[in-house]
Amino acid sequence: MSHYFSLANKAAIAFLIFLPPFFNCVKAQKINEDSLRAIIKDSKYDTARVLAMRKLASYQILHKGEIAEGLALLDKTDVLARKINFQTGICEVLLTRGNYHYRKSDWANAIGFFTELNNQSSLIADPVYQQRTSMMALNNLAGIYSKNGDYTTALDYYFKSRELLEKMKSDVSALCIVYVNIASHYSMLEENAKATEYLEKCYPLLDAAKPYLKYLYWSEKLTLADKQKNGMLVKSAIDSLEKNLNTSELSDFQKIDYNLTLYEMKGRYQKEYVKNLPQAIIEFQKKLTLAEQLDDKAELYNALYEMGDCYALQNDVSTAISYLQKAYTGAKADSINQVVYTSSKLLGQLFYQQKKYDEAYQYISTAYQVNDSIISQKNLAQLNFLEAGYQNEKKEKTITELKLSNTEKELGVIKRNRLLIIIGITATALLISLGLLYRTNRQKRLIAEKDQMIKGEQIKFLERQQQVVSLQSMVNGQETERTRIAKDLHDGLGGLFSTIKMQLSTLKHEEKSLETNELFQKSYQLVDNASVEVRRIAHNMMPEVLIKLGLMQAIQDLCNSINAGKLMSVSMQSYGMEQRLNASTEMMLFRIVQEL
C-alpha cells in the first residue's frame, strides 16, 4: 500500500478530534485537576458534578494512565447521571468507555459502547446535541470498521452520519470530513468515480471549513491521481496542496506535520513520474529533517528507505546501502515491520548484485519472515475483529431477550391497571365536564355584564359627541350670522354711506359757499366717520384678511390696529405655523384672541 493511501486514515482520525464541542477524547491536554475536584466536592448542581467527574475520569484513563482510578470514578459518574436522568452525562460516560476500549483494540466492547451511545442519544432533549452525539457514535463505529478493513460497513456508518450533518446544515467542517472519508473509502474499494463525486461535493465547502481540511481534500485528490498513474493530475494536486499549506491559517505543529507529507509526495513524484532522482533525494531529505523534529520514527525510517531507494536507482550502491541499513536497524528496534520488510528486501537485492550472497540471503530471509509476520498479524487482527463482532451480536441478542422479557412483565402490569385507569379517566372526565359547565355559565354571566358596561360607555360617548356637535353647530351658526351681518353692513350700509359721501362731495364742488359753512363741514365729517366705523365693524365681524391670508396675518393686523390707538403696545410671535389650519379652527382661534 502506497503512502498516499494512508492519508485516508488521517482523515478518519481527524474527525474524532474535531467534531464535538463537549467531547474531548483524543488529543492529550492538561487540565486543572484541583479545580475539577473542587467542583465535584462543592457543586450544588448534580449535572455540573457529573460533567466534572466525567472529565476527570477521562483525563485519568486516556492521558495519565491511572486506569483503575479513572474507571472507578467513571462508574460513579454513570450511577449519578442515571439517577438524575442526565442524558448528556450518560452519553459522555458511554463515549469515554468506548474510547478507552478503542485504544485497547477491544473491538467488541468499543462497538458495544458506541452502539449504545447512538441509541442513548435519542433521549437527549436538545436536538442539536442529540444529532451531534449520534453523529459522533456513527463516526467512531465507522472508524473501527475502517481500521479493521471492513470498508463497506464503514461506508454505511459514514452515510448515516452524512444524513445527520446535511440535516443540521451548520457544521461545514464536519460535513467536509465525512465527504472526504466517504471518498477515501470508495477509493479503497476501487470505486474511483464515486470517490471523485464526493470530493466534488466537498470542494465548494472548503472556504467556509477549517483550514486543515484543504490539506485532507488535496491529499485525497492526490491519492486518486496516483492510483490512475496520471502524472499531470499528481503534479496539479501537489501544487494545490502546497499553495494551501502556504496560505491557510495552521498551527505550527500542523504546518510541520503536513509539510512532512508534502515532501513525501514531492519526492515520490520526482522519483516515479519525472525520474529526477537528485531532486527526489532533496525532497526526502527535507522530510527526514522534519521527521527528526517531530520525533516521528515511522516517517523518519520511511524517509531513510526512500533515499536509499533513490541512490540505488542511481546505481550509487554504497550510499544506498548506508541509508537502507539505517532504516532497517531503526525500524527493527522500534518494531515498524513495514519499513523492516521493504528495506531488508531491497538490501538483499543490492547485496545479491554485489555477489555478497551471505548478506543477501540474511536480508532476504528477514524480509520473508517479516512479511509472513505482517500477514499473520493482519489475519489475526481480522479474526479477532470477527470474533468481536460475534461477541457484540451475542450481547445485543441477550439485551434484546431481556428487553422482551421486561416488556412481557410490563404488559401484565398494564392489563391489571387498565381497569383502574379507565375508572379514573371516567371520573376525571365527569369532574372536568362539571367544571367546564360551571366555567361556561360563569363566562356567559361575565360576558353579559361586560356587554352592558360597554353599551353604557357607548351611550356616554354618544352623548359627549352630541354635545360637541351642538356646540360646533352653535359656533358655526354664530359665525354664519356674523358673516351675514358683516356683508350687510359692508355691502348695504357701507355702500349707502359711500353714496352719501360722494353726493356731499359733489355738492361741495358745485356750491363753493358750502366750503366755509361750518354745519356742512361737520355733517360731511360725521358721514365720513360713520362710513369708517361701518367698515371697521364689518371687518371685525368677518375679517377679510383671515379668509384670504390666514390666522397669523389676521392676528398681526389686529395687533397693528391696537397699536395704532397708542393706548397699548402688542407684539405677536408665532412658531410652527408654516401651513394654514382649517377654516373653522382659524376662525375660533381668531375670536378667542379678539375677545382677549
Side-chain angles (χ1 to χ4, degrees):
M1 182 179 290
S2 73
H3 180 76
Y4 294 156
F5 295 160
S6 67
L7 296 172
N9 294 330
K10 286 192 176 184
I13 293 171
F15 193 88
L16 298 177
I17 296 170
F18 163 76
L19 178 64
F22 53 92
F23 293 132
N24 296 317
C25 57
V26 177
K27 283 191 175 179
Q29 53 185 311
K30 291 185 178 180
I31 63 172
N32 190 332
E33 291 186 62
D34 293 337
S35 175
L36 287 177
R37 293 183 191 280
I39 293 172
I40 294 169
K41 180 180 178 182
D42 302 328
S43 177
K44 296 179 181 179
Y45 304 102
D46 287 336
T47 55
R49 186 180 294 111
V50 166
L51 294 175
M53 290 170 68
R54 199 287 311 170
K55 190 171 184 179
L56 180 59
S58 175
Y59 185 67
Q60 290 174 325
I61 295 168
L62 302 179
H63 304 304
K64 290 189 69 179
E66 298 175 353
I67 307 299
E69 297 90 333
L71 289 175
L73 180 58
L74 199 62
D75 288 338
K76 294 178 181 178
T77 308
D78 189 36
V79 170
L80 178 57
R82 293 181 186 277
K83 180 180 178 182
I84 63 175
N85 197 31
F86 181 34
Q87 295 301 326
T88 300
I90 296 171
C91 287
E92 289 207 17
V93 169
L94 290 171
L95 180 68
T96 304
R97 292 190 192 279
N99 285 327
Y100 167 66
H101 289 288
Y102 183 96
R103 290 230 180 147
K104 290 176 60 183
S105 298
D106 182 357
W107 305 125
N109 280 314
I111 291 172
F113 283 118
F114 289 138
T115 301
E116 187 179 353
L117 174 64
N118 186 43
N119 296 333
Q120 193 77 22
S121 66
S122 62
L123 302 177
I124 296 177
D126 188 323
V128 175
Y129 278 149
Q130 180 190 116
Q131 291 177 328
R132 292 180 73 87
T133 305
S134 176
M135 180 177 55
M136 188 70 176
L138 292 169
N139 278 280
N140 283 335
L141 287 166
I144 291 173
Y145 284 97
S146 177
K147 188 176 180 67
N148 287 278
D150 188 350
Y151 302 131
T152 303
T153 305
L155 268 176
D156 181 51
Y157 282 113
Y158 279 131
F159 282 135
K160 292 175 181 177
S161 176
R162 183 201 72 174
E163 184 179 358
L164 283 174
L165 280 166
E166 288 177 346
K167 285 181 182 177
M168 291 167 65
K169 296 181 180 179
S170 59
D171 204 332
V172 176
S173 296
L175 187 58
C176 275
I177 294 177
V178 168
Y179 283 153
V180 171
N181 281 338
I182 292 174
S184 174
H185 284 72
Y186 269 129
S187 176
M188 290 182 224
L189 292 169
E190 302 299 330
E191 294 286 347
N192 295 336
K194 296 296 290 184
T196 302
E197 176 188 335
Y198 277 90
L199 287 177
E200 288 175 356
K201 288 177 180 287
C202 177
Y203 184 75
L205 307 177
L206 289 175
D207 288 338
K210 298 285 185 181
Y212 74 91
L213 293 176
K214 293 180 181 178
Y215 158 79
L216 297 178
Y217 170 82
W218 286 110
S219 297
E220 192 57 42
K221 289 283 284 188
L222 188 59
T223 300
L224 284 174
D226 184 56
K227 288 182 68 176
Q228 297 168 8
K229 299 302 177 186
N230 188 327
M232 291 181 63
L233 288 179
V234 170
K235 181 64 168 61
S236 175
I238 289 174
D239 291 343
S240 297
L241 181 57
E242 187 169 22
K243 178 182 176 183
N244 280 293
L245 289 180
N246 292 331
T247 57
S248 298
E249 296 179 1
L250 301 171
S251 67
D252 292 338
F253 175 82
Q254 285 176 327
K255 288 179 181 178
I256 295 174
D257 187 36
Y258 297 165
N259 274 297
L260 186 76
T261 305
L262 177 64
Y263 293 142
E264 164 77 14
M265 296 171 180
K266 293 172 75 171
R268 286 172 57 83
Y269 173 73
Q270 294 294 333
K271 183 178 77 170
E272 296 179 8
Y273 291 94
V274 182
K275 308 300 181 184
N276 185 347
L277 297 173
Q279 185 60 41
I281 291 171
I282 291 172
E283 300 297 341
F284 287 127
Q285 181 61 56
K286 292 178 182 177
K287 177 188 174 181
L288 180 63
T289 302
L290 289 182
E292 289 172 344
Q293 290 181 27
L294 293 174
D295 195 26
D296 189 331
K297 301 295 186 183
E299 295 292 356
L300 189 151
Y301 303 141
N302 178 268
L304 289 171
Y305 165 76
E306 292 289 0
M307 293 177 71
D309 189 27
C310 288
Y311 280 114
L313 292 172
Q314 286 182 317
N315 295 319
D316 186 351
V317 177
S318 60
T319 306
I321 289 174
S322 174
Y323 278 102
L324 289 170
Q325 285 182 328
K326 290 179 183 177
Y328 171 80
T329 304
K332 190 172 183 181
D334 289 313
S335 300
I336 303 174
N337 289 336
Q338 189 63 40
V339 178
V340 173
Y341 168 70
T342 53
S343 57
S344 60
K345 182 180 179 182
L346 185 52
L347 281 168
Q349 293 172 356
L350 293 176
F351 279 118
Y352 185 81
Q353 291 172 8
Q354 291 183 327
K355 298 182 180 180
K356 296 180 179 180
Y357 299 117
D358 289 339
E359 290 90 339
Y361 175 77
Q362 178 184 347
Y363 280 113
I364 289 173
S365 297
T366 301
Y368 281 117
Q369 289 173 8
V370 172
N371 189 47
D372 289 342
S373 175
I374 292 172
I375 294 171
S376 297
Q377 288 176 358
K378 187 180 294 185
N379 290 337
L380 181 60
Q382 289 178 349
L383 289 172
N384 288 338
F385 185 67
L386 290 173
E387 174 65 19
Y390 168 74
Q391 292 296 337
N392 186 61
E393 288 179 5
K394 187 177 178 181
K395 185 189 294 184
E396 287 184 355
K397 184 179 179 181
T398 302
I399 292 170
T400 303
E401 289 174 352
L402 288 172
K403 286 182 178 178
L404 182 60
S405 175
N406 290 334
T407 302
E408 290 175 351
K409 290 179 181 178
E410 289 173 1
L411 285 173
V413 173
I414 291 171
K415 288 178 180 179
R416 287 195 301 269
N417 293 334
R418 184 171 294 171
L419 182 60
L420 293 174
I421 292 172
I422 292 172
I423 293 171
I425 290 173
T426 304
T428 303
L430 182 60
L431 289 173
I432 291 172
S433 300
L434 292 172
L436 289 174
L437 183 61
Y438 170 76
R439 183 182 174 186
T440 302
N441 291 332
R442 187 168 178 272
Q443 283 181 339
K444 286 181 179 179
R445 188 175 67 255
L446 291 174
I447 290 170
E449 291 174 357
K450 192 171 182 180
D451 285 344
Q452 189 173 358
M453 233 164 99
I454 291 171
K455 288 178 181 178
E457 291 295 330
Q458 287 177 340
I459 290 170
K460 290 179 181 178
F461 176 71
L462 291 172
E463 286 176 349
R464 287 195 294 271
Q465 275 192 326
Q466 186 61 40
Q467 289 176 0
V468 171
V469 170
S470 298
L471 289 172
Q472 185 66 43
S473 299
M474 183 180 71
V475 171
N476 290 340
Q478 287 179 352
E479 290 302 326
T480 302
E481 188 63 19
R482 282 174 183 266
T483 302
R484 186 188 63 78
I485 294 171
K487 285 183 178 180
D488 288 345
L489 287 173
H490 184 274
D491 297 341
L493 192 57
L496 182 60
F497 274 117
S498 295
T499 302
I500 294 171
K501 186 179 177 182
M502 184 176 61
Q503 289 179 354
L504 288 173
S505 179
T506 302
L507 182 62
K508 181 180 176 181
H509 284 291
E510 290 179 355
E511 298 291 336
K512 299 294 183 180
S513 60
L514 292 177
E515 291 181 3
T516 58
N517 190 315
E518 184 178 353
L519 180 61
F520 180 82
Q521 291 296 334
K522 287 183 178 180
S523 299
Y524 185 81
Q525 187 64 40
L526 287 171
V527 170
D528 186 53
N529 290 342
S531 177
V532 171
E533 185 65 19
V534 167
R535 283 201 306 275
R536 185 186 68 78
I537 293 170
H539 178 75
N540 285 340
M541 294 188 74
M542 182 50 64
E544 187 177 0
V545 69
L546 175 64
I547 297 170
K548 291 184 177 179
L549 301 179
L551 178 63
M552 292 299 100
Q553 189 59 48
I555 293 175
Q556 186 61 58
D557 284 358
L558 183 61
C559 293
N560 294 340
S561 174
I562 294 169
N563 290 335
K566 297 183 180 180
L567 295 176
M568 284 180 70
S569 177
V570 182
S571 63
M572 185 192 78
Q573 293 180 339
S574 64
Y575 302 97
M577 294 296 293
E578 290 79 8
Q579 294 182 353
R580 290 191 60 175
L581 306 175
N582 62 64
S584 61
T585 302
E586 286 188 338
M587 181 61 69
M588 290 173 68
L589 292 173
F590 179 78
R591 293 302 180 201
I592 291 169
V593 174
Q594 191 178 47
E595 288 297 324
L596 290 173

